[in-house]
Amino acid sequence: MSTGSPVGSHRVVSPAGALPQAADRLDPDPRIADDEVRIRVERLNLDAASYRQLHTAHGGDGDAIRADVRDIIERRGKMHNPVTGSGGMLIGTVDAVGPRSPLGLKVGQKVATLVSLTLTPLHIDDRLEQWDGRSEQVPTSGHAILFARSIAAVLPDDLPEHLALAVLDVCGAPALVRRVVARRADPATVAVIGAAGKSGSLSLAAARDAGAATVVAVVRDEIEDARLRWAHLADDIVIADATDPLRLARKVDKALDGRGADVTVVCVDVPGCEHGAILSTATGGTIIFFSMATSFSAAALGAEGLAADVEMLIGNGYVPGHAEYALDLIRGNAHLKDLFIDRVGEES
Amino acid sequence: MSTGSPVGSHRVVSPAGALPQAADRLDPDPRIADDEVRIRVERLNLDAASYRQLHTAHGGDGDAIRADVRDIIERRGKMHNPVTGSGGMLIGTVDAVGPRSPLGLKVGQKVATLVSLTLTPLHIDDRLEQWDGRSEQVPTSGHAILFARSIAAVLPDDLPEHLALAVLDVCGAPALVRRVVARRADPATVAVIGAAGKSGSLSLAAARDAGAATVVAVVRDEIEDARLRWAHLADDIVIADATDPLRLARKVDKALDGRGADVTVVCVDVPGCEHGAILSTATGGTIIFFSMATSFSAAALGAEGLAADVEMLIGNGYVPGHAEYALDLIRGNAHLKDLFIDRVGEES
């Protein structure tokens, strides 16, 4: 094979002209193009929404779930759940590197892919027989292909694998928060809504790291409050329902002496948080929406209807250097690391 | 009545605690609070999607459409189509101004509201009898309420009313384009996708006005190409299908000598334009999505999957001074004005 398309369109079988994510079917031919990388797959981490759908559809029958996933991969050449539209990530070892690959990977490195399985050519050769279908973690063997514009992170050897994966899964958030907070002319006030979760707690740490003046954590209840309190990641912790816009904004305002936040970060994965985030943000401020439950039109019409001069960013999961930055935040902050270990639990 | 909530939550009848847009029902009591404004309504402009839904639901029967709209307004206290979730705008004359209203309006001024009808308390007193139900334009009489944080534009007397309304309807786009283009360190290259429409052509003019280095217009076909060509609003015009990402990006790249655009503006109101916009944008560039057909998750996952370091903005329809800026662009550019007059046709 010669050089491929950097975005992998040469691997699309159908429909013609589509990008890999939009394609029905990819070609997982193990022969790589000059700018591709082949990974020997060890484990798939199915996206939580995808696994939940499969579990429900098959009434929790592990054998049926396994057969369905096998069928999807064999039919589509990728693990792209046609119902949820989501995929997940995979872990494996670099098996072959094309001479013109720009990813900087070396044969033998253990990596996690940071682009979705929905666009990653994948072939399995064990019929998923190592998996009982009862968990999102799918031990398997086979191969996957990375394109020139893919992203993979080398797993660090100083952190437990499950901890590193949990961090890498959300590593776009802290990198974008750092960028937005750091570029403001004056030290910013920052509110993180949904601050007790993975992307939320990393966002708190990134805001501090970027020189925020004040960091306010918004959490759902006393349990999350207690969990965050001993981690010392925020200047103030506020308990509020993110879907109740007026109360949320009042509490954030109060924590910030009557002004809204200069930067508001939304990490709550439930619908209906757009208006609360808009009202919690100061004039001239920026909102970063990381939640996939965000409604584009609710945000756009909401800001207009509230005459809110705020800038609203769609949380892009890719920022150069995002994986290393997120891992460094964990390495440099024992409280944050403990919070993550507490979340990933016995797995690590 | 004393001072109301600046966002109008004191007008919400149900459900309690909601913002006016999310409310089932508003109270259009004509007695205004200290910071409110009452408008004597002359005409409603129903949102195109809303009227299309009503037209289809009633098989084009004007009487049935009229009865349905009357019922919605009487039941909800606002013209908020429960199926499409959309509203429209209204035109009227300022009737009363509370002493603490910050909107700067004076009794007798003719205004258009720039916040959606979905959050504007509205009462009609003519049972819509002046309207035949056969057009989005609804002549009527009644009153509407503006809150402290509402927005209304005084209709200029140097432009035909229909022309001014067509401009005001999309005035958020040029103001945000100007801001994003002007703040870049170097003169930016700009691509406007869907450039022949109202928001698209205003965005072209705003990009030039903000000092863009090169402005590329992307249009659908030869008809739009011809319409734009004599208006001289762009340095180059490209015909491409915005939903075919690879071809779109190739054409934009070619028009910009092999680099993507520093700023890409999406004004095409069809789904599936996210990936093409991402691929058309240079590393470090910004995409502004104005289309309500934009999918938040397609944009977020698309940028991540393409390892694209681009910033993606949700097009906020409110930027301070947006109405005056858009009208000034029209006043200052005879070609742009002709293009708009051509669109609004005989109505003006």
Side-chain angles (χ1 to χ4, degrees), chain B residues 107-287:
Chain B
V107 171
Q109 285 178 321
K110 187 152 192 186
V111 296
T113 59
L114 300 185
V115 290
S116 173
L117 288 180
T118 59
L119 56 92
T120 304
L122 172 67
H123 173 83
I124 50 166
D125 52 27
D126 69 343
R127 297 183 54 79
L128 299 181
E129 282 170 0
Q130 307 168 58
W131 182 46
D132 63 5
R134 298 185 179 281
S135 141
E136 304 160 11
Q137 307 285 329
V138 185
T140 183
S141 76
H143 70 265
I145 306 294
L146 299 179
F147 314 126
R149 274 181 78 160
S150 297
I151 328 166
V154 178
L155 289 176
D157 39 26
D158 62 335
L159 293 172
E161 184 178 305
H162 277 83
L163 176 61
L165 286 176
V167 173
L168 293 173
D169 191 32
V170 294
C171 66
L176 188 53
V177 168
R178 172 176 63 167
R179 179 187 280 183
V180 170
V181 171
R183 76 180 171 203
R184 290 192 69 91
D186 300 312
T189 57
V190 179
V192 177
I193 304 174
K198 291 196 299 178
S199 56
S201 54
L202 276 166
S203 295
L204 291 174
R208 274 240 174 111
D209 178 57
T214 312
V215 179
V216 175
V218 180
V219 299
R220 190 174 38 187
D221 54 30
E222 283 76 9
I223 298 169
E224 291 192 344
D225 180 17
R227 194 188 299 157
L228 260 189
R229 198 159 290 278
W230 58 260
H232 301 294
L233 294 169
D235 299 296
D236 204 347
I237 303 179
V238 161
I239 300 175
D241 176 355
T243 65
D244 183 341
L246 292 167
R247 278 198 205 158
L248 171 69
R250 261 200 303 271
K251 288 186 174 180
V252 171
D253 257 18
K254 198 175 156 205
L256 292 171
D257 299 324
R259 291 187 74 240
D262 296 321
V263 178
T264 302
V265 183
V266 181
C267 298
V268 186
D269 232 347
V270 296
C273 300
E274 300 86 359
H275 293 184
I278 291 165
L279 284 179
S280 299
T281 306
T283 298
T286 302
I287 304 168

Side-chain angles (χ1 to χ4, degrees), chain A residues 21-150:
Chain A
Q21 190 160 47
D24 298 326
R25 193 166 163 209
L26 301 179
D27 176 6
D29 188 327
R31 290 170 299 176
I32 57 171
D34 273 1
D35 58 354
E36 291 182 330
V37 167
R38 188 174 65 237
I39 305 290
R40 198 168 64 241
V41 177
E42 296 172 18
R43 184 149 50 95
L44 311 178
N45 281 18
L46 301 186
D47 170 74
S50 173
Y51 183 75
R52 202 180 311 128
Q53 182 272 326
L54 290 161
H55 192 272
T56 305
H58 296 293
D61 176 348
D63 289 340
I65 296 171
R66 182 174 55 199
D68 199 351
V69 171
R70 187 171 60 215
D71 179 60
I72 291 171
I73 297 172
E74 288 175 353
R75 190 160 38 85
R76 307 198 70 173
K78 59 177 177 174
M79 180 50 214
H80 186 170
N81 184 322
V83 179
T84 61
S86 59
M89 60 201 291
L90 64 81
I91 297 141
T93 306
V94 177
D95 194 25
V97 179
R100 297 177 57 186
S101 166
L103 301 183
L105 297 174
K106 295 191 190 78
V107 170
Q109 285 178 322
K110 187 151 193 187
V111 296
T113 59
L114 300 186
V115 289
S116 171
L117 288 180
T118 59
L119 56 92
T120 305
L122 172 67
H123 173 82
I124 51 164
D125 53 25
D126 69 342
R127 298 181 53 78
L128 298 182
E129 283 170 357
Q130 306 168 57
W131 182 45
D132 63 6
R134 297 184 180 280
S135 140
E136 305 161 11
Q137 307 284 330
V138 185
T140 182
S141 75
H143 70 266
I145 306 294
L146 298 181
F147 314 126
R149 274 182 79 162
S150 297

